[in-house]
Amino acid sequence: SQKIEQNSEALNIQEGKTATLTCNYTNYSPAYLQWYRQDPGRGPVFLLLIRENEKEKRKERLKVTFDTTLKQSLFHITASQPADSATYLCALRGRNQGGKLIFGQGTELSVKP
Amino acid sequence: DTAVSQTPKYLVTQMGNDKSIKCEQNLGHDTMYWYKQDSKKFLKIMFSYNNKELIINETVPNRFSPKSPDKAHLNLHINSLELGDSAVYFCASSQLNGGLNNEQFFGPGTRLTVL
């Protein structure tokens, strides 16, 4: 069956360090993968998209990698700040699925000063 | 200047009641969605409308009925509410086949509690 898995345990890191979050999937052939940020009591907010033919994407302190052989995406936040504390969701869109996104359960990141 | 808005923000009701959640987007998008986020934070697609036509209909009980009067609105009506319906419901919108990132814009969510 199709499955998307993110680290269910919260990730606690020190300010200034690099946070790395993992998204693994099985039985999917995604056209692209997206990462969203969700703060408590709010809806998810889009951060980055990476397509199946791309290895890496960057945006300011954010970097996403996509390995379709390993069926894995890594999401990095460099020089992390307490304001980066939130839950991060990965989402896959398959081909020919009418815009349907399948979300992972999210990983909660806590950056301590 | 709210992009995707939902009402109400909180909804507390008794089992067996019927309730509606409203959603509006002012982004000019052609596609709108309803998601359910349970206590374990899983965000699951329920329905999607493109230009007022249903294009995604996941395995959702018949008690849930979406209605899209126009491209900018997608409402969710729930009949005979059950305890298991308690969750946060998110509305979202996107331009189905446009935009560099195909991102979805989410509303603030409606926390439904069924007693």
Side-chain angles (χ1 to χ4, degrees):
Chain A
S1 63
Q2 296 176 325
K3 198 185 288 188
I4 301 175
E5 288 185 327
Q6 297 183 248
N7 291 348
S8 56
E9 289 184 15
L11 180 63
N12 298 303
I13 65 167
Q14 207 66 32
E15 183 177 7
K17 300 291 186 186
T18 296
T20 298
L21 286 70
T22 305
C23 177
N24 295 300
Y25 61 93
T26 54
N27 296 322
Y28 272 113
S29 293
Y32 58 73
L33 185 147
Q34 296 178 330
W35 283 88
Y36 288 78
R37 169 183 172 143
Q38 185 173 20
D39 290 284
R42 293 177 174 267
V45 175
F46 171 81
L47 296 174
L48 279 169
L49 175 149
I50 188 163
R51 298 185 187 279
E52 58 180 330
N53 59 350
E54 297 175 317
K55 296 287 186 191
E56 183 180 296
K57 224 33 167 334
R58 289 175 187 261
K59 179 182 175 184
E60 297 171 354
R61 295 184 295 111
L62 308 181
K63 183 177 87 170
V64 172
T65 62
F66 196 10
D67 189 326
T68 53
T69 302
L70 290 179
K71 297 188 185 302
Q72 180 182 79
S73 175
L74 298 178
F75 177 78
H76 306 272
I77 305 175
T78 58
S80 59
Q81 304 165 0
D84 295 327
S85 299
T87 295
Y88 292 86
L89 306 167
C90 71
L92 297 179
R93 176 177 167 181
R95 300 186 187 90
N96 303 319
Q97 288 190 315
K100 176 178 169 180
L101 282 180
I102 307 298
F103 280 85
Q105 78 272 36
T107 297
E108 186 179 345
L109 172 67
S110 179
V111 181
K112 305 293 185 189
Chain B
D1 59 349
T2 304
V4 182
S5 59
Q6 295 177 229
T7 53
K9 174 79 171 166
Y10 299 96
L11 187 52
V12 181
T13 188
Q14 298 286 332
M15 251 187 347
N17 284 349
D18 303 338
K19 291 293 178 186
S20 292
I21 308 172
K22 295 188 175 183
C23 178
E24 176 181 1
Q25 55 96 3
N26 63 5
L27 297 166
H29 289 158
D30 60 5
T31 305
M32 296 183 72
Y33 311 82
W34 276 112
Y35 287 87
K36 178 180 180 180
Q37 189 169 45
D38 60 25
S39 57
K40 294 183 179 178
K41 306 296 185 185
F42 274 102
L43 195 62
K44 290 185 180 175
I45 182 77
M46 299 173 69
F47 303 103
S48 176
Y49 273 73
N50 174 254
N51 287 318
K52 300 195 298 175
E53 289 199 18
L54 184 66
I55 58 170
I56 296 175
N57 186 356
E58 290 296 287
T59 309
V60 176
N62 291 339
R63 300 181 294 103
F64 290 79
S65 53
K67 283 189 172 50
S68 182
D70 54 59
K71 269 189 358 177
H73 295 85
L74 180 61
N75 303 323
L76 184 64
H77 189 76
I78 316 170
N79 289 328
S80 303
L81 278 155
E82 300 178 357
L83 293 177
D85 298 332
S86 295
V88 182
Y89 292 84
F90 286 100
C91 176
S93 74
S94 73
Q95 196 62 22
L96 186 61
N97 293 310
L100 185 63
N101 290 311
N102 293 310
E103 70 259 44
Q104 294 187 8
F105 293 79
F106 285 80
T110 296
R111 180 173 292 278
L112 171 65
T113 303
V114 183
L115 303 174

